Amino acid sequence: MCWLLHAFPLVMLLSLNASPGDASSVNPCCYFPCQHKGICVRVGTAGYECDCTRTGYYGTNCSVPEFWMRIREAMRPSPTFYHFILTRFKWFWDIINNTFIRDTLMRLVLTLRANLIPSPPTYNSDYGYISWEAYANVSYFTRILPPVPTDCPTPMGTKGPLQLPDSRLVAEHFFLRRTFHPDPQGTNLMFAFFAQHFTHQFFKTSGKMGHGFTRALGHGVDLGHIYGDNLERQHKLRLFRDGKLKYQILNGEIYPPTVMEAPVHMIYPKHVLPGDQLAVGQEVFGLLPGLMMYATLWLREHNRVCDLLKQEHPTWDDEQLFQTARLILIGETIKIVIEDYVQHLSGYYLQLKFDPELLFGVQFQYRNRIAVEFNQLYHWHPLMPDSFRIRDKEYNYDQFIYNTTMLTDYGVEALVEAFSKQRAGQIGGVANINENLLKVAIGVIEESRLLRLQPFNEYRKRFNMKPYTSFQELTGDEKTAAELEELYGDIDALEFYPGLLVEKAQPNSIFGESMVEIGAPFSLKGLLGNPICSPEYWKPSTFGGATGFELVNTASLQKLVCLNVKKCPYVAFRVPDDSGEEPMEATSVSWKKEQSTEL
């Protein structure tokens, strides 16, 4: 433990934005002097302390490594190095994936990533210091780094302009798509809509309460986007028979009920008739047919699982069937996210594995809090194309949004196939947001300023990456670097979200190093921190016995679709190969036997 008080050096107080007369009143923590997760505490008017406790470093600014930390630093590979290793040498990883080494590596990945996220949480947007309120009040998003102090000379601390550049100017200059840049990994719209559908259960900013607040009090994978985020909404969506959710039959297939049948609040424009307004757990899912497509698949899956549970447990009442089916679907979701979604996103040849037992022998906390930074980071609107192709027709945004009849007219199979075969956009390193979505990016920047997020480089350091020394190093492009420097003045004054989007992408990757290194810890901690992954929950009885446990342990994107449609389409998170060959569809007879008779 190292608490070192010292007089704040005068030389550090001199900046382009603070006159000598103002220097003595500058909050020294505005310089972010404490390194390696050290905590800055202001003392007096011109002094500060860096708390280096359990950081592995000591010294005035927590910058001197202890002996074992020095060895660890010398041996630690850079993110660039292990990304290179994990995305090459397929023959080698094919061997590893069939040995016990896979489990060892997966355990290492999970622990190293998850340990980067503080648990219990530390800060929120109103408390930049440890407090009971920041811990106990789950109405707040938590924060990884405290806000920039309000008494700093500039919005980013001490560097950069006195007034940040206009948010619209930043978005139009660095984010607005001129030419569509497809993702080099072959990511498709099936992935894009899954990302949006999945994250909207825990990214639910509460505008009424103010910035930094959330309505998703579950703070994780609770499937609130299927069942609603409160008990009243859940009850309006439930059939209260056999554990099932309400539904309607159209063209012989199950679809969500209308708002007349399930009177929950949904956001639709006035021109959408009540009979065309579908009711689901998340009130915004009527916006896009891709979101309602996933909502329909999960509705069918829930009711299918209820049928299986009732066959196995004929004495169970409606409530137990419903609650157990929900736990099974939570497990299926986490399985799909890790082994299909994150697997694709990573580009790794190491085969990722969802196995909670890998963490049973290590210290791990089974509670999660969603952070403001994770919410900001996950605005992946560059994924969206300029138009949407369904069979032989192309739809622009005006024709696509709030088109509630597209799902029922085409059917789930047609939408799945269309979205699986249409390429999504690259997220980072290029200006790639469609003009219809640019206002969302502008809103992200404006929100980050209201929440006083620390500069991009401070987050690089927090997640064990070296800070960039120049805009040229960040972008790899002279023109973009010069324009950024003109607006921000200093690389250490660059904002968090712009930094993530303008950072040069890794080779053949959808985005840059920082998006991976910052996003992955949030994701894995949130998934494996779910209660169902704990030793008390992770057992067959939680899921209704061996049959329910098997549903969780064998879940996949392909099974989610193919067990809930009449004819299995091409389904994947990647477009088919250029050769035109499509991955083999797993449509075994045993799958079909599991389907509900209602389908």
Side-chain angles (χ1 to χ4, degrees), residues 196-249:
Q196 192 173 13
H197 175 268
F198 168 70
T199 59
H200 271 59
Q201 65 187 299
F202 44 78
F203 293 152
K204 299 189 73 173
T205 301
S206 177
K208 292 182 179 179
M209 296 179 67
H211 294 280
F213 288 91
T214 176
R215 290 183 292 115
L217 303 184
H219 283 270
V221 183
D222 61 1
L223 305 195
H225 58 326
I226 299 173
Y227 304 110
D229 59 9
N230 60 74
L231 195 59
E232 180 184 4
R233 188 178 184 92
Q234 178 199 116
H235 284 182
K236 290 179 179 179
L237 292 168
R238 286 176 59 177
L239 189 61
F240 286 106
R241 186 173 68 249
D242 298 334
K244 294 185 177 182
L245 295 170
K246 290 179 180 177
Y247 60 91
Q248 60 173 319
I249 302 293

